[in-house]
Amino acid sequence: ETRHAADAADAAGHQRHRQAPLRVEPDHVVGVGGAASGHSHAAGAELQRGTADLTIPPRESHEVRKLALKELLEKHGTGNVLVWLGLEAKGAAASQNLCLFAKPKDLKLSPPEIRTTIEGKDSRWTVTLDSNRPALWTWLEIEGTDAVLSDNFFHLAPGEPRTITITLPAPMSADALRARLRTRSLTDTYPNAP
């Protein structure tokens, strides 16, 4: 079977050099065209945004570019800068990643306001989440039920909605689902979180 999706858009924060190499490591056997994109935030405000077109060779690790972040990190601090990365291949999102320059416990995050929109019926629903600030390690819970979610524990970037599919073991009304739905992120684990 030929696989065309890139496996990862990987960036590692390098404290000493204050830069992040943006690498693409595809698992497909045929080369494809694509685009790598990235944007950085501090305290929820966008600092930079960029996109680079690229050709992704088959099964070959490829460095797209080094992201020079020294000035941003010195100005805002390592606990304030988040670099969001994305890889698009054949017109669709193939991979996403987040580059951190501090340990999660040292990030200076403000509590996000996560908005949810629920659609569906019976036991099959979608929840679209959107946030005004970075919401790292976001997770959903539906109290009192063993729901199956298409994704959980993901990073939610400001202005980039994410849709999750929920399959419930028994039918439920929209009002009942809304009442049981809990959305949390990393800041909810901080001491003195509401």
Side-chain angles (χ1 to χ4, degrees):
E1 176 179 272
T2 302
R3 297 167 67 191
H4 296 285
D7 186 41
D10 186 29
H14 292 272
Q15 285 289 341
R16 197 172 47 144
H17 301 294
R18 308 267 185 189
Q19 61 184 2
L22 175 57
R23 301 191 65 75
V24 177
E25 299 181 9
D27 63 355
H28 54 74
V29 295
V30 177
V32 296
S37 63
H39 55 99
S40 56
H41 284 85
E46 188 171 286
L47 302 172
Q48 291 181 338
R49 180 174 286 271
T51 302
D53 291 330
L54 65 143
T55 299
I56 306 166
R59 294 190 177 162
E60 181 182 311
S61 180
H62 177 69
E63 185 171 298
V64 176
R65 67 171 41 156
K66 279 192 171 60
L67 305 175
L69 302 168
K70 182 179 178 182
E71 288 180 23
L72 282 180
L73 293 168
E74 287 175 355
K75 180 177 180 179
H76 298 283
T78 57
N80 284 318
V81 175
L82 307 174
V83 178
W84 304 83
L85 303 169
L87 178 66
E88 187 177 288
K90 294 191 172 184
S95 184
Q96 294 179 328
N97 207 341
L98 175 64
C99 185
L100 303 176
F101 294 87
K103 294 177 182 176
K105 69 177 185 168
D106 296 326
L107 294 173
K108 310 294 187 228
L109 298 172
S110 297
E113 294 174 18
I114 301 173
R115 295 169 297 281
T116 58
T117 304
I118 299 172
E119 294 181 349
K121 64 179 185 173
D122 300 328
S123 60
R124 186 102 168 133
W125 296 89
T126 60
V127 176
T128 301
L129 301 98
D130 194 12
S131 180
N132 65 332
R133 294 185 189 97
L136 306 188
W137 288 281
T138 300
W139 76 94
L140 305 175
E141 295 177 58
I142 294 93
E143 291 182 347
T145 186
D146 290 326
V148 176
L149 290 83
S150 61
D151 200 357
N152 222 354
F153 290 98
F154 50 86
H155 303 306
L156 192 57
E160 295 185 12
R162 183 133 182 187
T163 301
I164 306 300
T165 301
I166 299 174
T167 305
L168 300 170
M172 187 180 294
S173 71
D175 288 340
L177 179 58
R178 213 172 271 110
R180 293 180 181 198
L181 180 66
R182 300 291 175 263
T183 306
R184 297 183 176 93
S185 70
L186 180 63
T187 59
D188 292 301
T189 68
Y190 291 175
N192 303 320

